[in-house]
């Protein structure tokens, strides 16, 4: 099991996993988002886990300059997305991916790693707790059409 930063050669494999996590993304959005991340490596870091020639999971992280709920410093690194292919779960892939994000955050002088999860995604809540995150807040988003 090897965790490394994604390169342009990984766009297809990384994209296939992104679509499993966010199936609502259109093909154009997928390409645009990946390009934006690749073009700003100081702002975004993408890590892939590779096993036996297959990419088993990814983690995307960003450097957030704006206020992040529950954090005490700024900027912080935010875990924007993490996904492990079903057949590779419960073997420590997410643990390794989050450790790589933490290393990146420390390298760039950041002291807090933040994240979020849907209220119903209790497996993600367990993963966060088991990986050392503490819960800070629960929020409900609202919108009004104007
Ligand atoms: C959440 C997810 C990324 C975890 O990946 P994983 O590689 O299976 O996680 P790991 O094996 O590294 O486990 C990390 C910790 O989380 C806990 N954990 C992971 N899956 C769990 C489950 N199904 N039930 C209970 N605990 C679980 C483990 O106990 C582990 O802690 P431990 O090593 O101290 O026991 C994976 O289930 C997934 O991709 N889910 C769908 C996408 C998703 O929900 N992403 C998060 C969006 S916020």
């Amino acid at each position: 099991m090897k965790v490394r930063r994604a390169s342009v050669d990984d766009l297809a494999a990384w994209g296939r996993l992104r679509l499993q996590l966010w199936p609502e993304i259109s093909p154009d959005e997928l390409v645009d988002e990946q390009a934006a991340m690749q073009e700003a490596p100081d702002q975004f870091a993408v890590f892939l886990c590779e096993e036996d020639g297959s990419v088993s999971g990814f983690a995307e992280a960003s450097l957030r300059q704006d206020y992040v709920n529950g954090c005490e410093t700024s900027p912080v690194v935010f875990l924007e997305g993490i996904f492990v292919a079903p057949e590779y779960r419960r073997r420590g892939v997410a643990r390794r991916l989050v450790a790589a994000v933490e290393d990146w955050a420390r390298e760039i002088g950041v002291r807090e790693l933040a994240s979020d999860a849907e209220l119903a995604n209790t497996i993600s809540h367990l993963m966060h707790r088991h990986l050392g995150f503490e819960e800070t807040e629960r929020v409900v988003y609202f919108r009004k059409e104007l």
Side-chain angles (χ1 to χ4, degrees), residues 21 79-86 88-97 115-118 121-124 126-128 130-131:
L21 180 59
L79 184 63
E80 303 286 353
I82 183 162
F83 179 84
V84 176
Y88 291 98
R89 288 181 189 165
R90 303 301 309 264
R91 295 165 57 245
V93 174
R95 181 176 286 281
R96 296 279 299 269
L97 288 165
S115 182
D116 60 10
E118 303 253 332
N121 193 348
T122 51
I123 290 179
S124 174
L126 283 168
M127 178 205 75
H128 281 85
H130 279 117
L131 296 186

Side-chain angles (χ1 to χ4, degrees), residues 4-20:
R4 56 176 177 77
R5 224 162 147 167
S7 76
V8 283
D9 297 332
D10 298 308
L11 291 176
W14 168 32
R16 280 194 291 275
L17 291 181
R18 293 190 96 225
L19 281 176
Q20 289 185 60

Side-chain angles (χ1 to χ4, degrees), residues 24-139:
E24 68 282 3
I25 300 183
S26 72
D28 284 349
E29 281 173 323
L30 182 79
V31 170
D32 289 351
E33 288 176 5
Q34 288 181 297
M37 285 183 256
Q38 291 285 299
E39 283 161 17
D42 295 342
Q43 203 64 34
F44 299 98
V46 179
F47 294 93
L48 302 180
C49 184
E50 199 172 342
E51 297 184 58
D52 310 324
S54 296
V55 176
S56 55
F58 75 88
E60 294 176 9
S62 73
L63 186 62
R64 288 210 191 174
Q65 314 282 348
D66 51 334
Y67 171 71
V68 173
N69 295 49
C71 289
E72 294 169 1
T73 59
S74 181
V76 301
V77 165
F78 200 93
L79 184 63
E80 303 286 353
I82 183 162
F83 179 84
V84 176
E87 62 272 32
Y88 291 98
R89 288 181 189 165
R90 303 301 309 264
R91 295 165 57 245
V93 174
R95 181 176 286 281
R96 296 279 299 269
L97 288 165
V98 170
V101 171
E102 290 175 8
D103 287 345
W104 176 62
R106 287 190 195 96
E107 270 165 34
I108 60 175
V110 167
R111 289 181 27 230
E112 287 178 290
L113 173 61
S115 182
D116 60 10
E118 303 253 332
L119 286 177
N121 193 348
T122 51
I123 290 179
S124 174
H125 301 179
L126 283 168
M127 178 205 75
H128 281 85
R129 289 201 186 91
H130 279 117
L131 296 186
F133 287 84
E134 55 176 335
E135 181 175 324
T136 54
E137 291 179 27
R138 291 191 176 221
V139 296

